[in-house]
Amino acid sequence: MQQPNTTPSAGRVLVVDDDPTVAEVVAGYLVRAGHAVDRAADGPSALASAAGRWPDLVVLDLMLPGMDGLEVCARLRERGPVPVIMLTARGDEDDRVLGLEVGADDYVTKPFSPRELVLRVESVLRRTRPAGRAPAAPGPLAAAGLTLDTAARRATRNGTELALTLREFDLLAFFLRHPGRAFGREELMREVWGWDFGDLSTVTVHVRRLRGKVEEDPARPRLIRTVWGVGYRFEPEAAAGPEEDRRA
């Protein structure tokens, strides 16, 4: 019988990269950190591996032959929620944003530090486990027609269930717990993502995606409002005012 992992945040990680050297290095560091690792060299193999044994997290290369990482990520999202960290050999912002737009939780640009990647993997895994999250407020969180069941990880808007990614759910839950308070992007990354480092565009893109799911008019947000020079504030009651920018 396979022995369970002893690392508190340990889980099963699917590493998808067509470069065998990169895949071997990443897998080696993850195994030494106590994680179980499956490997795939292309999109179809990754989907087949996930179908056979659903991973706790996917480390996914953007530039795969045939089916690229964006399509793989989208297809995984159709099957069920799973955290994804995207690897890209290019530093172009459009690539990073595209990865986040299809549901990736973060990206790492090659060349990267394997130790940093392991830290990010473990940070994500901790936040997907009940023991790794801050204690939830008693009962469901509710405001402005939004209801979140933090135990079931279920969110509804006016009774209709919302299809939220892991980070979108955590971000919305954080906003509902702290109405009326402005938070900077750095603070949101620390409190919601659990990271003291990272590209702040991750927060920006997730706020934009979340607005698209909870706002009546995402182009004129009334709930998640941008505060100039600060960041964002959740206002369940007030209308957006002229002193604030309505764009992320």
PDB file of all heavy atoms in Angstrom, residues 19 52 88 192 216 232 239 244:
ATOM      1  N   ASP A  19       9.322  19.310 -22.467  1.00  0.00           N
ATOM      2  CA  ASP A  19      10.766  19.293 -22.273  1.00  0.00           C
ATOM      3  C   ASP A  19      11.080  18.293 -21.161  1.00  0.00           C
ATOM      4  O   ASP A  19      10.781  18.555 -19.985  1.00  0.00           O
ATOM      5  CB  ASP A  19      11.256  20.693 -21.892  1.00  0.00           C
ATOM      6  CG  ASP A  19      12.776  20.786 -21.802  1.00  0.00           C
ATOM      7  OD1 ASP A  19      13.411  19.780 -21.430  1.00  0.00           O
ATOM      8  OD2 ASP A  19      13.329  21.862 -22.084  1.00  0.00           O
ATOM      9  N   GLY A  52      -7.761   9.533 -15.370  1.00  0.00           N
ATOM     10  CA  GLY A  52      -7.488   8.310 -14.647  1.00  0.00           C
ATOM     11  C   GLY A  52      -7.242   8.520 -13.170  1.00  0.00           C
ATOM     12  O   GLY A  52      -7.596   7.682 -12.333  1.00  0.00           O
ATOM     13  N   THR A  88       5.462  29.364 -18.643  1.00  0.00           N
ATOM     14  CA  THR A  88       5.621  29.960 -19.959  1.00  0.00           C
ATOM     15  C   THR A  88       7.069  30.340 -20.174  1.00  0.00           C
ATOM     16  O   THR A  88       7.736  30.838 -19.267  1.00  0.00           O
ATOM     17  CB  THR A  88       4.725  31.200 -20.130  1.00  0.00           C
ATOM     18  OG1 THR A  88       5.038  31.833 -21.377  1.00  0.00           O
ATOM     19  CG2 THR A  88       4.914  32.186 -18.994  1.00  0.00           C
ATOM     20  N   VAL A 192      -5.216  36.533   0.229  1.00  0.00           N
ATOM     21  CA  VAL A 192      -6.024  35.581  -0.534  1.00  0.00           C
ATOM     22  C   VAL A 192      -5.157  34.487  -1.156  1.00  0.00           C
ATOM     23  O   VAL A 192      -5.492  33.306  -1.094  1.00  0.00           O
ATOM     24  CB  VAL A 192      -6.843  36.304  -1.622  1.00  0.00           C
ATOM     25  CG1 VAL A 192      -7.644  35.304  -2.451  1.00  0.00           C
ATOM     26  CG2 VAL A 192      -7.779  37.333  -0.989  1.00  0.00           C
ATOM     27  N   GLU A 216     -23.825  43.386 -12.280  1.00  0.00           N
ATOM     28  CA  GLU A 216     -24.872  43.551 -13.281  1.00  0.00           C
ATOM     29  C   GLU A 216     -24.265  44.046 -14.593  1.00  0.00           C
ATOM     30  O   GLU A 216     -24.611  43.572 -15.669  1.00  0.00           O
ATOM     31  CB  GLU A 216     -25.925  44.559 -12.786  1.00  0.00           C
ATOM     32  CG  GLU A 216     -26.778  44.064 -11.632  1.00  0.00           C
ATOM     33  CD  GLU A 216     -27.803  43.033 -12.066  1.00  0.00           C
ATOM     34  OE1 GLU A 216     -27.987  42.843 -13.278  1.00  0.00           O
ATOM     35  OE2 GLU A 216     -28.408  42.411 -11.171  1.00  0.00           O
ATOM     36  N   TYR A 232      -8.830  47.886  -4.260  1.00  0.00           N
ATOM     37  CA  TYR A 232     -10.237  47.570  -4.461  1.00  0.00           C
ATOM     38  C   TYR A 232     -10.991  47.589  -3.139  1.00  0.00           C
ATOM     39  O   TYR A 232     -10.421  47.353  -2.071  1.00  0.00           O
ATOM     40  CB  TYR A 232     -10.380  46.180  -5.100  1.00  0.00           C
ATOM     41  CG  TYR A 232      -9.658  46.050  -6.414  1.00  0.00           C
ATOM     42  CD1 TYR A 232      -8.425  45.402  -6.477  1.00  0.00           C
ATOM     43  CD2 TYR A 232     -10.188  46.569  -7.581  1.00  0.00           C
ATOM     44  CE1 TYR A 232      -7.743  45.283  -7.672  1.00  0.00           C
ATOM     45  CE2 TYR A 232      -9.517  46.459  -8.786  1.00  0.00           C
ATOM     46  CZ  TYR A 232      -8.295  45.813  -8.826  1.00  0.00           C
ATOM     47  OH  TYR A 232      -7.626  45.714 -10.013  1.00  0.00           O
ATOM     48  N   ALA A 239     -23.647  52.824  -4.477  1.00  0.00           N
ATOM     49  CA  ALA A 239     -23.416  52.891  -5.921  1.00  0.00           C
ATOM     50  C   ALA A 239     -22.024  53.436  -6.171  1.00  0.00           C
ATOM     51  O   ALA A 239     -21.445  54.123  -5.348  1.00  0.00           O
ATOM     52  CB  ALA A 239     -24.459  53.803  -6.576  1.00  0.00           C
ATOM     53  N   GLU A 244     -13.983  57.289  -8.214  1.00  0.00           N
ATOM     54  CA  GLU A 244     -13.300  56.017  -8.390  1.00  0.00           C
ATOM     55  C   GLU A 244     -13.318  55.599  -9.856  1.00  0.00           C
ATOM     56  O   GLU A 244     -14.265  55.848 -10.584  1.00  0.00           O
ATOM     57  CB  GLU A 244     -13.950  54.941  -7.513  1.00  0.00           C
ATOM     58  CG  GLU A 244     -13.747  55.232  -6.041  1.00  0.00           C
ATOM     59  CD  GLU A 244     -14.601  54.343  -5.186  1.00  0.00           C
ATOM     60  OE1 GLU A 244     -15.582  53.814  -5.712  1.00  0.00           O
ATOM     61  OE2 GLU A 244     -14.305  54.213  -4.006  1.00  0.00           O
TER      62      GLU A 244
END
